[in-house]
Amino acid sequence: MRTRNRSRTGPRCLGVALAAVAALITLPLAHPPAAAAAQTCDTANAAQGRPATASSTENAGTTASAAFDGDAATRWSSRFADPQWLQVDLGTVEDLCGIDLNWEAAYGKDFQLQASTDGQNWTTLKTVTGATGGTTSYDVSGSGRYVRMYGTARGTGYGYSLWEMAVHTTATGTTGPVQGGGDLGPNVIVVDPSTPNLQQKFDDVFKQQESAQFGTGRYQFLLKPGTYDGINAQIGFYTSVSGLGLNPDDTRIDGDVTVDAGWFNGNATQNFWRSAENLAIKPSAGTDRWAVAQAVPFRRIHVEGGLDLAPTGYGWASGGYVADSKIDGTVGPYSQQQWYTRDSSVGGWTNGVWNMTFSGVQGAPATNFDSGPYTTLDTTPVSREKPFLYLDGNDYKVFVPGKRTDARGVSWPNTPGTSIPLDRFYVVKPGATAATIDAALAQGLNLLFTPGIYHLDRTIEVTRPDTVVLGLGLATLVPDNGVDAMHVADVDGVRLAGFLIDAGPVNSDTLLRIGTPGTHADHSADPTTMQDVFIRIGGAGPGLATNSVVVDSDDAIVDHTWIWRADHGSGVGWDTNRADYGLTVNGDDVLATGLFVEHFNKYDVSWNGERGRTIFFQNEKAYDAPNAAAVTHDGIVGYAAYKVADSVTTHEAWGLGSYCNYTADPGIVQAHGFQVPRTGGVTMHDLLVISLGGNGQYAHVVDSTGAPTSGTSTVPSKVTSFP
């Protein structure tokens, strides 16, 4: 069991905060350069908003990044020990001329200001002894990409605590070969309320994408702040629509953002891969229609009316996900089989079919899983909203929301977080190579993938803490020749969001790996997040992968993913698109919110880490299992949809469903949907299994507990609490 540092609170910190603000009024953070360097030492803070790390953090509210966010009311603080350090990555090697430190009352008495070109080997720029805190500027001379304060003696019995640390550079610093910023590429459509023929633009893209389930088109609509009258933005495959305001109400559609299922004869179960984000919608008829299935996030939306989740005619539907959204009216799921809603507000919720799960949702219905579909948690234990692109004046920036604990309701307005200018991103456009992408990352840039399909002949390596990898328009990464698509090092705060990984025809060992096997560093203050990152094996063509996603980092958050071994499309067959494992979790204290994993040859989810938690899980077993022998292991018929390893002592999950549709051999009787160790620390809430029309059966729900499924009647078998 790891210990967590406790925060200190009370009048002392409030008084220090007020004193620090007062000090900033009279003592500017800008470095006062020596006369000889007056023309070359930049008064701007080159460290603001840059990725930061520290030897330790006192608590989750005093992270390293808080000392570089330009906010004098937030701070980094360390454990109560010596030595401690705070480090920032400038992105490129720069000539350094000044460093400012604005100490909280817990100051450093003796410390060194250091620089490094590689983050490993350090040169001391200045040694300070006998300091007394406050705000102080230091002239320095040297170069480096990384700058740190290395404290050797504290001035108080507390840790080291900095409101802000600023770094100043000269005009002669080097720049990397990959340039940040630039235009957003050919498949991003930026509009404002005065854009001519705006409805036609939406209609033209929709006509192309409406039924292009496995097509190559990728599109992102970006709406500048303002009011859009009379628009119906119909959203097809691989199309995203997003507002460019800092808050949803900055961009308002007096009309509709619509997903329906006319292309599939009123069946919405294949309305995948599209999104809407950061908008306000006032529906033309009072209710917006969002009839979707998996991999369709509805985030940060204000619906000034109701929301209908079923297609016209109330045909089948199998979704879905809402987060950080406010629906003033009633949400009507109708034919939706399952749904997860997180950290939102609803005016009402009318019904549900099998599994409707809520966490942190104001207005959510009460739990009634014994007799109905609802599982409701009052709060979400840990959450952090997805990064998003916005306009600050005429400048594009990416807003990176901060972590919330025990969240309830929307995060906006005034969402806590930081902004990163677009020039600190490599804007990846179709034709970019994996070598250039890796070079940009090594240079310290973040990644913004514009809509397109990107073939990778080498693995994308994300090694820097707090790197943002953000996709627009379901940008798609395809690993070629059996390489892995992406590896993320075991570092703090990487944000992966908004892209699709499509397995290639040569087997990859692991499409996405987060963390390093065997490591257990504490990332609780600044966890890595994976949000709206989708995995596909087959469907668009043959695809192969032994492992789809492996999470080795502790404290990671997996927030809305669909990990899918295709059951239809091109290149589909028991061995043609073989993929043994969907999600494998080896890290401790990992949280999954909105987990959709389907059709894998072996385990869909295999959880080996301690203290894992899942809120909502949707699964279908592989349709194409040829017979019971093909899925029999250890004397058990069928691999569990969700398996917790026998060695795990603590695990908890809520609102989990697994469905079987063994069309290749309807006679398969799977032993159970869920397999967990029988120990007091492992608790499962609200589980169900279903036979879809009698194509295969489950003998039990979890282990040997729960009634068998009910023949051809498609009625759930449930267990409300286990053990």
Side-chain angles (χ1 to χ4, degrees), residues 51 420 424-426 440-441 444-448 464 466-468:
I420 306 175
R424 292 180 181 168
F425 284 80
Y426 172 41
L441 289 167
L445 293 172
N446 304 288
L447 300 178
L448 180 69
R464 180 173 52 82
D466 295 309
T467 300
V468 177

Side-chain angles (χ1 to χ4, degrees), residues 335-357:
S335 55
Q336 279 288 353
Q337 296 168 351
Q338 67 280 315
W339 199 274
Y340 175 55
T341 308
R342 178 182 63 73
D343 299 351
S344 294
S345 160
V346 298
W349 194 278
T350 57
N351 74 323
V353 178
W354 294 329
N355 182 13
M356 304 279 126
T357 302

Side-chain angles (χ1 to χ4, degrees), residues 607-608 643-649 675-679:
W607 206 297
N608 306 308
K643 175 179 170 58
V644 179
D646 293 344
S647 60
V648 171
T649 61
Q675 184 180 358
V676 304
R678 200 175 190 96
T679 176

Side-chain angles (χ1 to χ4, degrees), residues 5 34 95 108 160 162 179-181 206 231 269 277 392 479 510 573 588 599 631 659 699:
N5 294 316
D95 291 330
Y160 295 81
L162 281 163
Q179 297 300 307
F206 179 67
I231 293 296
T269 60
E277 301 182 48
D392 183 3
T510 304
D588 295 338
H599 307 308
V631 292
Y659 320 146

Side-chain angles (χ1 to χ4, degrees), residues 144-160:
R145 168 176 168 174
Y146 303 90
V147 179
R148 75 176 179 180
M149 185 286 302
Y150 185 88
T152 55
R154 292 163 289 141
T156 72
Y158 296 107
Y160 295 81

Side-chain angles (χ1 to χ4, degrees), residues 517-570:
T519 58
H520 286 285
D522 185 348
H523 302 296
S524 58
D526 188 16
T528 286
T529 56
M530 170 185 169
Q531 300 177 283
D532 301 347
V533 174
F534 308 122
I535 308 294
R536 182 171 67 193
I537 301 96
L544 296 163
T546 303
N547 302 282
S548 300
V549 178
V550 176
V551 178
D552 287 310
S553 280
D554 288 3
D555 306 294
I557 300 172
V558 179
D559 176 44
H560 189 226
T561 184
W562 186 36
I563 303 172
W564 186 59
R565 176 182 167 264
D567 61 276
H568 63 274
S570 174

Side-chain angles (χ1 to χ4, degrees), residues 641-664:
Y642 188 106
K643 175 179 170 58
V644 179
D646 293 344
S647 60
V648 171
T649 61
T650 306
H651 187 91
E652 192 164 14
W654 299 260
L656 283 67
S658 177
Y659 320 146
C660 72
N661 187 34
Y662 285 123
T663 54

Side-chain angles (χ1 to χ4, degrees), residues 63 86 209 240 243-244 333 341 392 479 535 546 550 617 623:
T63 61
L86 174 68
Q209 299 299 114
S240 299
L244 283 172
T341 308
D392 183 3
I535 308 294
T546 303
V550 176
F617 171 67
Y623 292 180

